Amino acid sequence: IPHPFKKFSFAAIPDFQFGGMEHPGAIWYNANILFLDSSATRTQLIRRANLIAHETSHMWFGDLVTMRWFDDVWMKEVFANFMADKIVGIILPDDNIDIKFVVDHFPLSYSIDRTKGANPIRQELENLQEAGTLYGHIIYHKAPIMMLQLERLIGEQALQSGLQEYLKTYSFDNASWPDLITILDTNTPEDLQSWNDNWVNKAGRPTYTRMITDPKGDNYGLFDVDTTKIAELYKITDPVLRAFQYINLYENMLEGRFIDPNTFVTVTLTALDYEKEELLIQQLLSQLGVAYWNFISADQRAARAGELESKLWTLMEQANKNNLKKMFFKSYTGIAQSDAATTKIYSLWKNKTAPSGVNLTDDEYADLATWLAIRNHPQSREILNEQLTRIDNTDKKQRWEFWMPALSPDEKERDAFFESLKNANNRRKESWVNTALSYLHHPLRRESAEKYIRPSLELLPEIQKTGDIFFPQNWLQAILTYHNSENAAQTVQQFIDENPDFSKRLLNKLLQGADMLFRANRKSTN
């Protein structure tokens, strides 16, 4: 089916709150994702390719054929992501598309499906004002996993033929998920209604007493772990199976099964010594950061900080690709907090001299300035002011000026900044707000930021009314992601207990956003 519209353009927008938006005739893109320089990592290049493929797929799925009502808004997103995965697999032939599918979709889908606020893929919607709450990781990440299982169930050719018939039948018209299921039913003897009920209409993930052994099987859920082989997962030869095992071990750590957080950190550091697949290294580093900041105790962090700093710096120096060097360097700056690290980072920022083989952009040098400010460098204020003078781009200069109060070493200035966010006009640049909130609630500042949690939750209904569709979810993630104290968990639980009439959809978003906090304080949520 040829491109169905008369023109096809790109519009690049600075600080656009979405990655892209699929307007027929002119797709809007976030300029920061679209325009990359020569230092871009492999992960960034794949992310851009995937985004462009996703938005282009929407020309057919979403624009040529549009859902009949918002209970099927997920349909356009599942097909955009599902097709994007196929497209990127062709345009990046040297990349393992199966690894990418696993690390792109399974962790983010689990991040919702493991929570008390989990929602099914298809949700009924009566009030259009709450349409934005339908969006999230279940639509964008569980739904493509579901579609892959459907393709395996009925066969690739049957699915392709069914989708072609669907697009031709409903061109420039509206259609529903039952309309598509009716078409697919004619192409297969399988019981799609039963399959549909389990995958599309039910929330949550299953728990199995068996282990993952088949990289091509239905591996969605929580699986048992062979405790005799935990320390040697990196020896698994199939990289897709290895990806599943890394993620499954992490999920079991979060559930308090088979492995404790401190041991998980040790196992991950060992795997990083041997892992060669860039996408899996990125996944391991992401999981390491969560375990380190959220789940091991303050005493354990203090005892292991030097070990982790040294390990990540050594891995950076030993990496044989510049992409990997930058990846390890960013992980190092995400974890480092020693005086020696502060001296090292300050020198790198001040002299604009990156470690050998690491090519840092101006934005990444600005990230080092935020690092120094959050860690209360003695010259924090001077660093923030000097960084402002280094920025030539007008949009980026305004963004930095917006962030500076959130990075301030003065707690009263940070308090005033938070108070300013209660005015909707000061929340218009949502991407700026989300980043600023992550600075306020950084793990090294989370104790002083606990006082912002309750008023932030009280603002949620207004955030939903005045913001874009992802703002409530992003607001909650920025506020709650880095907290792990009992007091923070009790603050959230108390808010829930005192607001029994709170919007159920917003409550689900809150339960999703607070999941890590509750897991770090299981006794607080009994």
Short mmCIF file of all heavy atoms in Angstrom, two decimals, residues 113-154:
data_model
loop_
_atom_site.label_atom_id
_atom_site.label_comp_id
_atom_site.label_asym_id
_atom_site.label_seq_id
_atom_site.Cartn_x
_atom_site.Cartn_y
_atom_site.Cartn_z
N ASP A 113 3.71 -4.19 34.62
CA ASP A 113 2.96 -5.43 34.87
C ASP A 113 3.28 -6.05 36.23
O ASP A 113 2.51 -6.88 36.72
CB ASP A 113 3.24 -6.44 33.76
CG ASP A 113 1.99 -6.76 32.96
OD1 ASP A 113 0.93 -6.19 33.26
OD2 ASP A 113 2.07 -7.60 32.04
N ARG A 114 4.41 -5.70 36.83
CA ARG A 114 4.74 -6.23 38.15
C ARG A 114 4.10 -5.43 39.28
O ARG A 114 4.17 -5.81 40.44
CB ARG A 114 6.26 -6.27 38.35
CG ARG A 114 6.88 -4.91 38.63
CD ARG A 114 8.31 -5.03 39.15
NE ARG A 114 9.29 -5.04 38.10
CZ ARG A 114 9.93 -3.95 37.66
NH1 ARG A 114 9.64 -2.76 38.17
NH2 ARG A 114 10.84 -4.04 36.71
N THR A 115 3.47 -4.29 38.96
CA THR A 115 2.98 -3.38 39.99
C THR A 115 1.54 -3.66 40.37
O THR A 115 0.80 -4.34 39.65
CB THR A 115 3.09 -1.92 39.52
OG1 THR A 115 2.03 -1.65 38.58
CG2 THR A 115 4.43 -1.63 38.87
N LYS A 116 1.12 -3.06 41.48
CA LYS A 116 -0.28 -3.16 41.92
C LYS A 116 -1.19 -2.31 41.05
O LYS A 116 -2.42 -2.43 41.14
CB LYS A 116 -0.40 -2.75 43.38
CG LYS A 116 0.29 -3.70 44.34
CD LYS A 116 0.12 -3.26 45.78
CE LYS A 116 0.79 -4.24 46.74
NZ LYS A 116 0.65 -3.81 48.16
N GLY A 117 -0.61 -1.45 40.22
CA GLY A 117 -1.42 -0.61 39.33
C GLY A 117 -1.42 -1.09 37.90
O GLY A 117 -1.76 -0.33 36.98
N ALA A 118 -1.06 -2.35 37.68
CA ALA A 118 -0.98 -2.90 36.32
C ALA A 118 -2.34 -2.81 35.62
O ALA A 118 -3.38 -2.98 36.24
CB ALA A 118 -0.51 -4.34 36.36
N ASN A 119 -2.30 -2.52 34.33
CA ASN A 119 -3.52 -2.43 33.53
C ASN A 119 -3.43 -3.33 32.31
O ASN A 119 -2.33 -3.62 31.83
CB ASN A 119 -3.77 -0.98 33.07
CG ASN A 119 -2.60 -0.42 32.28
OD1 ASN A 119 -1.71 0.21 32.85
ND2 ASN A 119 -2.61 -0.62 30.97
N PRO A 120 -4.57 -3.81 31.80
CA PRO A 120 -4.54 -4.62 30.58
C PRO A 120 -4.18 -3.78 29.37
O PRO A 120 -4.19 -2.55 29.42
CB PRO A 120 -5.96 -5.16 30.47
CG PRO A 120 -6.80 -4.18 31.21
CD PRO A 120 -5.93 -3.65 32.33
N ILE A 121 -3.88 -4.44 28.26
CA ILE A 121 -3.55 -3.72 27.03
C ILE A 121 -4.76 -2.93 26.55
O ILE A 121 -4.67 -1.74 26.23
CB ILE A 121 -3.08 -4.70 25.94
CG1 ILE A 121 -1.73 -5.32 26.33
CG2 ILE A 121 -2.97 -4.01 24.59
CD1 ILE A 121 -1.24 -6.41 25.37
N ARG A 122 -5.90 -3.58 26.49
CA ARG A 122 -7.13 -2.92 26.04
C ARG A 122 -7.94 -2.50 27.26
O ARG A 122 -8.27 -3.32 28.10
CB ARG A 122 -7.96 -3.86 25.16
CG ARG A 122 -9.09 -3.17 24.40
CD ARG A 122 -9.72 -4.11 23.38
NE ARG A 122 -10.52 -3.39 22.41
CZ ARG A 122 -11.85 -3.44 22.34
NH1 ARG A 122 -12.54 -4.18 23.19
NH2 ARG A 122 -12.49 -2.77 21.40
N GLN A 123 -8.24 -1.20 27.35
CA GLN A 123 -8.96 -0.66 28.50
C GLN A 123 -10.21 0.09 28.04
O GLN A 123 -10.16 0.83 27.05
CB GLN A 123 -8.08 0.32 29.27
CG GLN A 123 -6.77 -0.25 29.79
CD GLN A 123 -5.96 0.81 30.50
OE1 GLN A 123 -6.29 1.24 31.60
NE2 GLN A 123 -4.88 1.24 29.87
N GLU A 124 -11.29 -0.09 28.75
CA GLU A 124 -12.51 0.66 28.47
C GLU A 124 -12.30 2.13 28.86
O GLU A 124 -11.63 2.43 29.84
CB GLU A 124 -13.69 0.09 29.27
CG GLU A 124 -14.04 -1.35 28.92
CD GLU A 124 -14.67 -1.49 27.55
OE1 GLU A 124 -15.30 -0.51 27.09
OE2 GLU A 124 -14.54 -2.56 26.94
N LEU A 125 -12.87 3.03 28.08
CA LEU A 125 -12.75 4.46 28.39
C LEU A 125 -14.11 5.12 28.20
O LEU A 125 -14.69 5.09 27.12
CB LEU A 125 -11.73 5.15 27.47
CG LEU A 125 -11.50 6.61 27.77
CD1 LEU A 125 -10.72 6.78 29.07
CD2 LEU A 125 -10.78 7.32 26.63
N GLU A 126 -14.60 5.72 29.27
CA GLU A 126 -15.88 6.41 29.22
C GLU A 126 -15.70 7.93 29.16
O GLU A 126 -16.50 8.63 28.55
CB GLU A 126 -16.73 6.05 30.45
CG GLU A 126 -17.12 4.57 30.49
CD GLU A 126 -17.93 4.24 31.73
OE1 GLU A 126 -18.16 5.16 32.55
OE2 GLU A 126 -18.34 3.07 31.88
N ASN A 127 -14.67 8.44 29.81
CA ASN A 127 -14.45 9.88 29.90
C ASN A 127 -13.24 10.25 29.05
O ASN A 127 -12.11 9.86 29.34
CB ASN A 127 -14.21 10.27 31.37
CG ASN A 127 -14.09 11.78 31.55
OD1 ASN A 127 -13.93 12.52 30.60
ND2 ASN A 127 -14.17 12.21 32.80
N LEU A 128 -13.46 11.02 28.00
CA LEU A 128 -12.39 11.37 27.08
C LEU A 128 -11.28 12.17 27.77
O LEU A 128 -10.14 12.15 27.33
CB LEU A 128 -12.96 12.18 25.90
CG LEU A 128 -12.02 12.40 24.70
CD1 LEU A 128 -11.58 11.06 24.13
CD2 LEU A 128 -12.71 13.23 23.63
N GLN A 129 -11.61 12.85 28.86
CA GLN A 129 -10.60 13.62 29.58
C GLN A 129 -9.53 12.73 30.18
O GLN A 129 -8.44 13.20 30.51
CB GLN A 129 -11.26 14.45 30.70
CG GLN A 129 -12.09 15.63 30.19
CD GLN A 129 -12.65 16.46 31.33
OE1 GLN A 129 -12.90 15.95 32.41
NE2 GLN A 129 -12.84 17.75 31.07
N GLU A 130 -9.82 11.44 30.32
CA GLU A 130 -8.84 10.52 30.88
C GLU A 130 -8.15 9.68 29.82
O GLU A 130 -7.47 8.71 30.13
CB GLU A 130 -9.51 9.61 31.92
CG GLU A 130 -9.98 10.35 33.17
CD GLU A 130 -10.27 9.40 34.32
OE1 GLU A 130 -10.90 8.36 34.07
OE2 GLU A 130 -9.86 9.72 35.45
N ALA A 131 -8.30 10.06 28.55
CA ALA A 131 -7.71 9.27 27.46
C ALA A 131 -6.19 9.18 27.60
O ALA A 131 -5.58 8.16 27.27
CB ALA A 131 -8.08 9.89 26.12
N GLY A 132 -5.57 10.25 28.12
CA GLY A 132 -4.12 10.24 28.27
C GLY A 132 -3.61 9.16 29.20
O GLY A 132 -2.47 8.68 29.07
N THR A 133 -4.45 8.73 30.17
CA THR A 133 -4.00 7.72 31.12
C THR A 133 -3.89 6.33 30.49
O THR A 133 -3.34 5.42 31.10
CB THR A 133 -4.96 7.64 32.33
OG1 THR A 133 -6.26 7.24 31.88
CG2 THR A 133 -5.07 8.98 33.04
N LEU A 134 -4.43 6.16 29.28
CA LEU A 134 -4.33 4.87 28.61
C LEU A 134 -2.92 4.60 28.12
O LEU A 134 -2.51 3.45 27.96
CB LEU A 134 -5.29 4.81 27.42
CG LEU A 134 -6.78 4.96 27.72
CD1 LEU A 134 -7.57 4.97 26.42
CD2 LEU A 134 -7.27 3.83 28.61
N TYR A 135 -2.17 5.67 27.88
CA TYR A 135 -0.83 5.53 27.31
C TYR A 135 0.16 5.08 28.38
O TYR A 135 0.00 5.37 29.56
CB TYR A 135 -0.36 6.85 26.70
CG TYR A 135 -1.06 7.22 25.42
CD1 TYR A 135 -2.28 7.87 25.44
CD2 TYR A 135 -0.49 6.92 24.19
CE1 TYR A 135 -2.93 8.22 24.26
CE2 TYR A 135 -1.13 7.26 23.01
CZ TYR A 135 -2.35 7.91 23.04
OH TYR A 135 -2.98 8.25 21.88
N GLY A 136 1.20 4.38 27.94
CA GLY A 136 2.23 3.94 28.86
C GLY A 136 2.96 2.72 28.32
O GLY A 136 2.79 2.33 27.16
N HIS A 137 3.75 2.11 29.18
CA HIS A 137 4.62 1.01 28.75
C HIS A 137 3.84 -0.24 28.34
O HIS A 137 4.36 -1.05 27.56
CB HIS A 137 5.60 0.66 29.86
CG HIS A 137 6.61 1.74 30.13
ND1 HIS A 137 7.11 2.55 29.14
CD2 HIS A 137 7.21 2.14 31.30
CE1 HIS A 137 7.98 3.40 29.67
NE2 HIS A 137 8.04 3.19 30.97
N ILE A 138 2.62 -0.40 28.83
CA ILE A 138 1.85 -1.59 28.42
C ILE A 138 1.47 -1.47 26.94
O ILE A 138 1.60 -2.43 26.17
CB ILE A 138 0.59 -1.74 29.30
CG1 ILE A 138 0.99 -2.07 30.74
CG2 ILE A 138 -0.32 -2.84 28.74
CD1 ILE A 138 1.77 -3.35 30.91
N ILE A 139 1.03 -0.29 26.54
CA ILE A 139 0.69 -0.07 25.13
C ILE A 139 1.93 -0.17 24.25
O ILE A 139 1.93 -0.82 23.20
CB ILE A 139 0.02 1.30 24.95
CG1 ILE A 139 -1.45 1.23 25.36
CG2 ILE A 139 0.13 1.78 23.50
CD1 ILE A 139 -2.19 2.54 25.19
N TYR A 140 3.01 0.48 24.67
CA TYR A 140 4.18 0.60 23.80
C TYR A 140 5.10 -0.62 23.85
O TYR A 140 5.89 -0.83 22.92
CB TYR A 140 4.99 1.85 24.17
CG TYR A 140 4.32 3.14 23.73
CD1 TYR A 140 3.57 3.89 24.62
CD2 TYR A 140 4.43 3.59 22.42
CE1 TYR A 140 2.95 5.06 24.21
CE2 TYR A 140 3.83 4.76 22.01
CZ TYR A 140 3.09 5.49 22.91
OH TYR A 140 2.46 6.66 22.50
N HIS A 141 5.03 -1.42 24.93
CA HIS A 141 6.02 -2.48 25.07
C HIS A 141 5.42 -3.88 25.31
O HIS A 141 5.92 -4.84 24.73
CB HIS A 141 7.00 -2.11 26.18
CG HIS A 141 7.75 -0.85 25.88
ND1 HIS A 141 8.72 -0.79 24.90
CD2 HIS A 141 7.64 0.41 26.38
CE1 HIS A 141 9.19 0.45 24.82
NE2 HIS A 141 8.55 1.20 25.69
N LYS A 142 4.37 -3.99 26.11
CA LYS A 142 3.76 -5.32 26.23
C LYS A 142 3.01 -5.68 24.96
O LYS A 142 3.03 -6.84 24.52
CB LYS A 142 2.81 -5.37 27.43
CG LYS A 142 2.24 -6.78 27.66
CD LYS A 142 1.34 -6.86 28.87
CE LYS A 142 0.85 -8.28 29.10
NZ LYS A 142 -0.01 -8.40 30.30
N ALA A 143 2.34 -4.69 24.37
CA ALA A 143 1.55 -4.97 23.17
C ALA A 143 2.42 -5.52 22.03
O ALA A 143 1.99 -6.48 21.35
CB ALA A 143 0.79 -3.72 22.74
N PRO A 144 3.63 -4.99 21.75
CA PRO A 144 4.46 -5.62 20.71
C PRO A 144 4.88 -7.05 21.06
O PRO A 144 5.01 -7.89 20.16
CB PRO A 144 5.68 -4.69 20.65
CG PRO A 144 5.19 -3.37 21.12
CD PRO A 144 4.20 -3.70 22.19
N ILE A 145 5.10 -7.33 22.35
CA ILE A 145 5.40 -8.71 22.75
C ILE A 145 4.21 -9.61 22.44
O ILE A 145 4.36 -10.72 21.91
CB ILE A 145 5.74 -8.77 24.25
CG1 ILE A 145 7.00 -7.95 24.55
CG2 ILE A 145 5.93 -10.23 24.70
CD1 ILE A 145 7.27 -7.77 26.03
N MET A 146 3.01 -9.10 22.75
CA MET A 146 1.79 -9.83 22.43
C MET A 146 1.69 -10.07 20.92
O MET A 146 1.33 -11.17 20.48
CB MET A 146 0.58 -9.02 22.93
CG MET A 146 -0.77 -9.53 22.48
SD MET A 146 -1.30 -8.97 20.83
CE MET A 146 -1.49 -7.22 21.13
N MET A 147 2.02 -9.05 20.13
CA MET A 147 1.91 -9.19 18.67
C MET A 147 2.90 -10.22 18.14
O MET A 147 2.59 -10.97 17.19
CB MET A 147 2.14 -7.83 18.01
CG MET A 147 1.70 -7.76 16.55
SD MET A 147 -0.04 -8.20 16.28
CE MET A 147 -0.86 -6.95 17.26
N LEU A 148 4.08 -10.27 18.73
CA LEU A 148 5.05 -11.29 18.33
C LEU A 148 4.51 -12.68 18.63
O LEU A 148 4.66 -13.61 17.82
CB LEU A 148 6.38 -11.07 19.05
CG LEU A 148 7.46 -12.11 18.77
CD1 LEU A 148 7.86 -12.10 17.29
CD2 LEU A 148 8.69 -11.87 19.65
N GLN A 149 3.87 -12.84 19.78
CA GLN A 149 3.29 -14.14 20.12
C GLN A 149 2.16 -14.50 19.15
O GLN A 149 2.00 -15.67 18.78
CB GLN A 149 2.77 -14.13 21.56
CG GLN A 149 3.86 -13.97 22.61
CD GLN A 149 4.96 -15.01 22.48
OE1 GLN A 149 4.70 -16.18 22.22
NE2 GLN A 149 6.21 -14.58 22.67
N LEU A 150 1.37 -13.50 18.74
CA LEU A 150 0.32 -13.74 17.76
C LEU A 150 0.93 -14.19 16.43
O LEU A 150 0.42 -15.12 15.78
CB LEU A 150 -0.52 -12.47 17.57
CG LEU A 150 -1.61 -12.53 16.50
CD1 LEU A 150 -2.63 -13.63 16.83
CD2 LEU A 150 -2.31 -11.18 16.37
N GLU A 151 1.99 -13.54 16.01
CA GLU A 151 2.66 -13.90 14.76
C GLU A 151 3.17 -15.34 14.82
O GLU A 151 3.06 -16.10 13.85
CB GLU A 151 3.81 -12.94 14.49
CG GLU A 151 4.52 -13.19 13.17
CD GLU A 151 5.64 -12.19 12.94
OE1 GLU A 151 6.59 -12.16 13.76
OE2 GLU A 151 5.59 -11.44 11.95
N ARG A 152 3.72 -15.72 15.97
CA ARG A 152 4.22 -17.09 16.12
C ARG A 152 3.07 -18.09 16.18
O ARG A 152 3.21 -19.23 15.72
CB ARG A 152 5.08 -17.19 17.38
CG ARG A 152 6.42 -16.49 17.25
CD ARG A 152 7.18 -16.47 18.57
NE ARG A 152 8.52 -15.90 18.39
CZ ARG A 152 9.35 -15.62 19.39
NH1 ARG A 152 8.97 -15.87 20.65
NH2 ARG A 152 10.54 -15.12 19.15
N LEU A 153 1.93 -17.65 16.73
CA LEU A 153 0.77 -18.54 16.87
C LEU A 153 0.13 -18.86 15.52
O LEU A 153 -0.12 -20.02 15.20
CB LEU A 153 -0.27 -17.92 17.80
CG LEU A 153 -1.56 -18.69 18.03
CD1 LEU A 153 -1.27 -19.98 18.78
CD2 LEU A 153 -2.57 -17.83 18.79
N ILE A 154 -0.13 -17.83 14.71
CA ILE A 154 -0.86 -18.05 13.46
C ILE A 154 0.06 -18.09 12.24
O ILE A 154 -0.36 -18.48 11.15
CB ILE A 154 -1.95 -16.98 13.25
CG1 ILE A 154 -1.34 -15.60 12.98
CG2 ILE A 154 -2.89 -16.93 14.44
CD1 ILE A 154 -2.38 -14.53 12.63
#
